[in-house]
Amino acid sequence: MFIRSQHTPRIATPAGVLLIAASFLLSSCSTGPVGLASSSIDIEPYAHVTATLDFEAGTVVLPVDAIDRDAPQVDELRREASQVLTDACLAESGLPGYSRSETVSIEEDRLFGLWSVPLAQEYGFEIAALIDQVPPTPTDDELRCLDESKEEMKTRFNLDDGYSFDAQVADAAYDAAFASEPGQAALAVAKECMVGQGLEFSADSPMPQFDYESDGDSAENRRIAVIQATCNVETGAIQTLYDLTARYQSALMDASEAEAKEAAEVVATRIAGFEGVIAARE
């Protein structure tokens, strides 16, 4: 199983099976210093809250996105601002701008396993946007400016400020959704479907076992991935699990209103700051 660092996937490749176990263990103690008590949160008043799933792209929209300092739209601005600073550094040495943009963060959400059937059919357990992405080696000057812009971004916008409230909400909501009775029921029905399609499970894992020989881009890799994604979708398990996650996120944010407001202000400040850097280039 996977811990959710907002919209960041945990790669479920055969070579990453140990990561699954490690992530599962960490998820049980990931509520962080604010002590979010997800187990005592009542989500019944939030029955109307749902997650929006894009079954083609494997992405999901959740309530915590509104306070997520690493949300896709925020991260896109951060990358562009960092590029501006890197280019300015290179220009000071009479060098052209850095043409190799930072690798775009992967937005396929694998919090509860694979569920985009089209992506599973084409890539199996591989991450689509990482395939064949081997950027050229930067020059010494480019490395220097990349490092300088990275440090300036961290200092100016306090990017390295520890375990954030939005991450705590995301992790606590995941824990609660996974452990809840309807969450366990959804996982069970998906597992039953996968077992019926010939996949095997170990006694202590919610994910199917993998043949280590099928790692990488192979027909067997894709076959297993498609079964998992199809079962997650056709049983309705994936929608149930994400809806539960969305409800717990909403409840936790409402229960910690002051912290949620502060987190939203951090996001707004960062967006304004990144936009300021970008505008200065123009």
Side-chain angles (χ1 to χ4, degrees):
M1 193 52 65
F2 314 99
I3 300 176
R4 187 172 197 275
S5 176
Q6 192 66 18
H7 290 309
T8 300
R10 295 296 182 261
I11 304 173
T13 60
V17 170
L18 291 180
L19 290 178
I20 294 174
S23 297
F24 181 70
L25 289 174
L26 285 170
S27 70
S28 64
C29 56
S30 58
T31 52
V34 298
L36 293 174
S38 56
S39 61
S40 63
I41 291 290
D42 178 16
I43 61 169
E44 188 173 344
Y46 298 88
H48 63 287
V49 177
T50 59
T52 302
L53 277 61
D54 183 333
F55 291 94
E56 294 293 320
T59 58
V60 58
V61 178
L62 291 162
V64 79
D65 295 349
I67 63 168
D68 180 13
R69 63 189 66 193
D70 295 314
Q73 66 273 23
V74 181
D75 200 45
E76 182 178 354
L77 289 171
R78 179 196 60 77
R79 289 194 302 269
E80 187 173 355
S82 182
Q83 177 85 42
V84 169
L85 295 178
T86 300
D87 288 349
C89 171
L90 290 168
E92 290 176 358
S93 299
L95 298 170
Y98 186 66
S99 60
R100 307 173 193 90
S101 60
E102 179 183 341
T103 300
V104 177
S105 58
I106 311 306
E107 301 306 329
E108 184 184 356
D109 197 309
R110 298 182 174 188
L111 178 60
F112 297 105
L114 274 65
W115 50 275
S116 170
V117 176
L119 289 179
Q121 289 172 334
E122 187 167 359
Y123 300 104
F125 286 96
E126 299 298 303
I127 299 292
L130 290 183
I131 294 176
D132 297 329
Q133 285 198 10
V134 182
T137 302
T139 65
D140 289 342
D141 283 318
E142 288 172 340
L143 281 173
R144 173 179 57 81
C145 286
L146 285 168
D147 287 341
E148 288 183 9
S149 63
K150 181 179 179 180
E151 287 304 313
E152 183 173 350
M153 290 287 290
K154 285 173 60 177
T155 302
R156 187 187 296 192
F157 301 112
N158 193 25
L159 299 184
D160 191 18
D161 55 356
Y163 188 48
S164 58
F165 177 74
D166 54 281
Q168 294 173 53
V169 168
D171 289 346
Y174 163 80
D175 289 347
F178 179 83
S180 69
E181 185 175 336
Q184 286 292 304
L187 289 166
V189 73
K191 177 178 178 179
E192 182 180 5
C193 173
M194 293 179 213
V195 170
Q197 295 295 316
L199 300 192
E200 297 181 356
F201 288 73
S202 61
D204 58 349
S205 175
M207 292 295 176
Q209 294 180 338
F210 298 96
D211 177 1
Y212 280 80
E213 297 300 319
S214 70
D215 194 5
D217 183 19
S218 70
E220 178 65 4
N221 181 300
R222 290 190 293 276
R223 184 188 73 84
I224 296 172
V226 169
I227 290 174
Q228 184 181 125
T230 301
C231 284
N232 275 332
V233 173
E234 291 187 352
T235 62
I238 204 67
Q239 186 71 59
T240 295
L241 290 162
Y242 278 114
D243 284 348
L244 287 167
T245 301
R247 289 162 192 161
Y248 277 109
Q249 286 181 1
S250 294
L252 288 163
M253 289 162 64
D254 285 351
S256 302
E257 186 176 357
E259 289 86 350
K261 181 179 179 181
E262 182 180 353
E265 290 171 353
V266 168
V267 171
T269 299
R270 286 190 178 177
I271 289 175
F274 297 158
E275 290 177 337
V277 171
I278 295 166
R281 172 190 60 185
E282 302 168 352

